[in-house]
Amino acid sequence: MNEAVVSPPAIVIFGAAVRPDGTASRALRLRTEAAAAFGRRLADPLYVPTGGVGRHGVAEAVVMAGLLAGLGVPAASVLLEDSATDTLSSVRAVRRLLIGHRGPVFAASNAYHLPRCVVLLWLAGLRARPALPPRVPAARGWRRRWFWRLREAAALPYDVAVLLALRLAGRL
């Protein structure tokens, strides 16, 4: 009898800024901690931190891997994607990493960013669902939170259009 091979659940953690000293920004730390907490509810999850080198010299994914290790996640449960420079390139890179993955996929990010992550993963062929976001907002001030919401409102249709064009061109 041929049984389908089921992969472990994958939790894709979307990157955020790294500080000049190489440590995690508040948003990056909150995303990683929320992903680890969510992963403790699953059987042997695979963590996929995604994010390359931003303004400061350490890749976001590498910083997240260090945070995950500090939270007790074994290195064998972490699959780094350290080349992406934005949400769309993260989705494209993670899609390549997870080719053949047959388990559930969860997107981990802050609440304001999560809808775009899930939609883009779906359009890329990964039937993602949202992981539980951090319990606190990424920013303390209401102005910054509104700015991020407005940015996401503009970024979502743009990224969807680019992703669909890449898909139609066979370049996804």
Side-chain angles (χ1 to χ4, degrees), residues 60-76:
E60 297 164 3
V62 171
V63 173
M64 286 187 278
L67 290 171
L68 289 168
L71 294 167
V73 174

Side-chain angles (χ1 to χ4, degrees), residues 7-107:
S7 304
I11 303 171
V12 179
I13 312 169
F14 285 83
V18 172
R19 293 184 178 142
D21 65 359
T23 60
S25 63
R26 182 171 189 264
L28 189 64
R29 182 179 48 77
L30 289 172
R31 290 176 186 188
T32 307
E33 289 171 352
F38 182 77
R40 284 192 278 282
R41 305 166 77 184
L42 305 172
D44 299 319
L46 174 66
Y47 296 88
V48 186
T50 177
V53 176
R55 278 187 259 156
H56 307 292
V58 182
E60 297 164 3
V62 171
V63 173
M64 286 187 278
L67 290 171
L68 289 168
L71 294 167
V73 174
S77 297
V78 177
L79 177 61
L80 282 180
E81 188 301 296
D82 60 358
S83 68
T85 57
D86 57 28
T87 303
L88 185 57
S89 63
S90 286
V91 167
R92 294 179 71 198
V94 166
R95 181 182 181 275
R96 287 188 296 273
L97 279 178
L98 294 181
I99 285 179
H101 181 81
R102 302 216 184 278
V105 176
F106 297 93

Side-chain angles (χ1 to χ4, degrees), residues 87-88 91 112-123 148-164:
T87 303
L88 185 57
V91 167
Y112 74 89
H113 188 230
L114 208 45
R116 179 162 55 126
C117 297
V118 171
V119 166
L120 293 176
L121 286 168
W122 264 81
L123 291 174
W148 283 342
R149 286 184 183 126
L150 291 173
R151 185 183 71 180
E152 289 298 308
L156 179 60
Y158 176 83
D159 282 351
V160 165
V162 170
L163 190 63
L164 290 174

